[in-house]
Amino acid sequence: MSSSSKPDRGETREIRVIPVSGFRNDNGEFEHRVPPVSQTTKAQTQLGKLGGVLLSPSHIERLAHLATDPQELELSRAERHRTPFGWLTTLSFRAYAPMISPAVENDRLLADASYAADPKAPRGRLALSMPAPHDRYATLVHGDAFEAVMEAVDRAAIAVQKDNPQDVGERIVERSLTLVPATFTGSPDSLGEDYTTVDGNCRLISCLVLLPVERGWLTGDARDHTRIRLLPSYLMRLPLVARRELVRKIAKVAHKRLAQPPKGTEADQRERNDAAIALNALTVPVQVIVGYEDDDPQRGMERFPAAVRSVLVRMNVSAKKFSAGSQHAVVAEEMATALYDEGLLDGGQPDKDLATARRDVLIGREQVPEGMRLLGLDDLPDLRFAQIVQELTRKGHAFNRLVRSQLGKTGLYLSHRNGPVVELGLRSYSASVETPKHLDSIRKALDTGCLWQDLVDTEWTVENAATDHAIDGLRDRAHANDTQAALVLGVLGMVALVVTGHLRAAAGSAEETVGTTIARTSVGQIIKGLLETGPGRELLADAVKRSRARRPLRWWDSESKSLVEQPSDWATSTFNAYLRQAVRHGFTSEAERNNPAAKEAASLTRFQEAVFTAKDRLMDLIEMRDENGTDDKIAWLEVESTFGILAGITARLGKIAESEPLSDTW
């Protein structure tokens, strides 16, 4: 990947125009000739007859205008691609880059994207709502205000060019962009349709920035020759005919410059190379989604957006991996939509409004306060996070089957649920967290595993614990072994500790900080450990109340048996170290920890943690074999020593442990 979109060329090296069609001028040289509108008519007719194409007449017209060679489009064959719920139909050909727009919303490229799920998000810069299906055609319908769409695509374009420029210009783009028809209900009628990228933002934007454009070409002022950077919003504001005319002008100016005799100077060669680069960047290969057939004909286009998102999940951006977090976010949205579509968010009763509220709260893009109200919850970020945890840790045959299919897994473990929970939950803090570095720290902590098995094994619901009094009630019930209250308190406390930075992934220097060993387990296991002790439950409840009030968290003092202000020299990392020490050794004083019985108990805890870790590693191996389809037994020579160690452990543990109690039944 080059650091700039323009190739690093020497003083005299000539860059040549690469032919993308068979057209030659009178001199026998390749030349871009934007075909007149009349030449697209036959292509439109052929497309209208092609099986599998489900586009409006205006989208078919626009599709014909995309092609560098309408004849190529006439001869192209439709291809079918499998999705979780049906089949997509696509056409492949070469298109003019300025006739295409980037993805309307690309969250993985917008560092400052804010979500409606965050009460502190600026209302003017919210992440856009998810596109809806058209009632008849294979088209994504965007309902946001047109200006909001323009602002989002420009931000995404700037981020792409900064973070992942592509080496375009010296050579043409060879890997296809995937496009989808789009309709904008919030735009003027003449600008209501387009084709946008599902995959290929980086390639498209790297092409657009190489195209020399005069401001007058966009405004119609023939006297304004000021060169400008071509932003996507400029193109999306142009009617179809004006957009084609812009392509014609770019090609005409570049070819005119190359037609001039070479002067042999460095400056002349640079200008000629810039013209060649512009022509090489003028076109891109595309695979356009033109139809969709659902497995259930009664669903029509209802699941078309989910089918398009399933394509996105499989995509990688050239030279830049589609990050795990981004994949989790896309899969999570698809999962939430699929649960809604299949009637699994209605709480067991045919209540469409309630199901819609759950979907909107899960996704976090729109109508979140209204959705929380319908669910009987105050619009608090930690309560929404708890709702996401509850929804995605449910059990049930239909639920498990659908979630497994969305995740592409044969089993459904806590680790599978964790990623979608984290990415959807963090949308409640998209603008509230002060710095990207802090958000990265929060994500890193949660990615260790913010769930624990009780959340799946026990039926529980989110309570509207929106006041200090309600949190105290949860704490008191948890003290009395109320599992429902303990789980709600645990999730809310986990969010409070992690978001404020007081519970992090285990740091290497933590033992040095506290002077003893710590629990190097996941966030979820730390919370489970805290819920098992009275001081831990007190600390969790206090963390929720004080984090909501934006007050410093307090610590449990083992001498006074009460919550106290943190020592003045503690950082949040210090709190994290002592918290992990307490989970491993208990909320005890140094004298208590040095008691022989306490030391033995701590040693037993460490041994049991190692056993649980070994069990988890074995489950990872079994899961890996399932995913790889491995049926062969492991050779005895490879596991013989392991069986010997396990037998020895069992025998030695049996010597120091009581015998297993006899069952009351034979």
mmCIF file of all heavy atoms in Angstrom, residues 68 147 220-221 296 325 331 348 365 497 597:
data_model
loop_
_atom_site.group_PDB
_atom_site.id
_atom_site.type_symbol
_atom_site.label_atom_id
_atom_site.label_comp_id
_atom_site.label_asym_id
_atom_site.label_seq_id
_atom_site.Cartn_x
_atom_site.Cartn_y
_atom_site.Cartn_z
ATOM 1 N N THR A 68 -18.799 1.910 -19.326
ATOM 2 C CA THR A 68 -17.887 2.542 -20.286
ATOM 3 C C THR A 68 -18.238 2.108 -21.702
ATOM 4 O O THR A 68 -17.999 2.832 -22.659
ATOM 5 C CB THR A 68 -16.427 2.162 -19.984
ATOM 6 O OG1 THR A 68 -16.306 0.736 -20.021
ATOM 7 C CG2 THR A 68 -16.017 2.656 -18.607
ATOM 8 N N GLU A 147 -28.832 16.168 3.270
ATOM 9 C CA GLU A 147 -27.619 16.861 3.723
ATOM 10 C C GLU A 147 -26.843 16.005 4.714
ATOM 11 O O GLU A 147 -25.611 16.021 4.734
ATOM 12 C CB GLU A 147 -27.982 18.215 4.347
ATOM 13 C CG GLU A 147 -28.420 19.260 3.344
ATOM 14 C CD GLU A 147 -27.407 19.461 2.220
ATOM 15 O OE1 GLU A 147 -26.206 19.589 2.534
ATOM 16 O OE2 GLU A 147 -27.817 19.473 1.047
ATOM 17 N N GLY A 220 -21.683 25.182 -13.340
ATOM 18 C CA GLY A 220 -22.178 25.730 -14.595
ATOM 19 C C GLY A 220 -21.593 27.081 -14.936
ATOM 20 O O GLY A 220 -21.956 27.682 -15.958
ATOM 21 N N ASP A 221 -20.662 27.586 -14.128
ATOM 22 C CA ASP A 221 -20.005 28.870 -14.391
ATOM 23 C C ASP A 221 -18.774 28.632 -15.261
ATOM 24 O O ASP A 221 -17.725 28.197 -14.776
ATOM 25 C CB ASP A 221 -19.603 29.528 -13.071
ATOM 26 C CG ASP A 221 -19.027 30.922 -13.267
ATOM 27 O OD1 ASP A 221 -18.840 31.335 -14.443
ATOM 28 O OD2 ASP A 221 -18.743 31.587 -12.249
ATOM 29 N N ASP A 296 -38.364 -17.490 0.897
ATOM 30 C CA ASP A 296 -39.798 -17.443 1.190
ATOM 31 C C ASP A 296 -40.412 -16.353 0.314
ATOM 32 O O ASP A 296 -40.274 -15.165 0.604
ATOM 33 C CB ASP A 296 -40.029 -17.123 2.666
ATOM 34 C CG ASP A 296 -41.508 -17.047 3.023
ATOM 35 O OD1 ASP A 296 -42.349 -17.242 2.132
ATOM 36 O OD2 ASP A 296 -41.804 -16.779 4.209
ATOM 37 N N GLY A 325 -13.694 -6.094 15.090
ATOM 38 C CA GLY A 325 -14.736 -5.247 15.658
ATOM 39 C C GLY A 325 -15.757 -4.826 14.619
ATOM 40 O O GLY A 325 -16.966 -4.815 14.874
ATOM 41 N N VAL A 331 -22.273 -7.964 11.747
ATOM 42 C CA VAL A 331 -22.988 -9.205 12.063
ATOM 43 C C VAL A 331 -24.058 -8.943 13.119
ATOM 44 O O VAL A 331 -25.175 -9.477 13.043
ATOM 45 C CB VAL A 331 -22.009 -10.289 12.540
ATOM 46 C CG1 VAL A 331 -22.764 -11.470 13.131
ATOM 47 C CG2 VAL A 331 -21.138 -10.751 11.385
ATOM 48 N N GLY A 348 -42.417 -13.176 23.151
ATOM 49 C CA GLY A 348 -43.378 -14.266 23.292
ATOM 50 C C GLY A 348 -44.809 -13.864 23.053
ATOM 51 O O GLY A 348 -45.724 -14.661 23.269
ATOM 52 N N ARG A 365 -29.279 2.960 16.310
ATOM 53 C CA ARG A 365 -29.133 4.018 15.300
ATOM 54 C C ARG A 365 -30.268 5.040 15.329
ATOM 55 O O ARG A 365 -30.072 6.183 14.928
ATOM 56 C CB ARG A 365 -29.059 3.404 13.898
ATOM 57 C CG ARG A 365 -27.757 2.682 13.600
ATOM 58 C CD ARG A 365 -27.758 2.158 12.175
ATOM 59 N NE ARG A 365 -26.513 1.495 11.848
ATOM 60 C CZ ARG A 365 -25.445 2.094 11.331
ATOM 61 N NH1 ARG A 365 -25.488 3.395 11.101
ATOM 62 N NH2 ARG A 365 -24.360 1.427 11.047
ATOM 63 N N LEU A 497 -17.629 -0.075 35.890
ATOM 64 C CA LEU A 497 -16.198 -0.252 36.144
ATOM 65 C C LEU A 497 -15.381 -0.134 34.864
ATOM 66 O O LEU A 497 -14.318 0.503 34.842
ATOM 67 C CB LEU A 497 -15.950 -1.612 36.801
ATOM 68 C CG LEU A 497 -16.419 -1.759 38.254
ATOM 69 C CD1 LEU A 497 -16.356 -3.214 38.680
ATOM 70 C CD2 LEU A 497 -15.563 -0.895 39.182
ATOM 71 N N ALA A 597 -4.235 -20.574 56.856
ATOM 72 C CA ALA A 597 -5.467 -21.092 56.260
ATOM 73 C C ALA A 597 -5.852 -20.287 55.026
ATOM 74 O O ALA A 597 -6.319 -20.841 54.015
ATOM 75 C CB ALA A 597 -6.598 -21.060 57.291
#
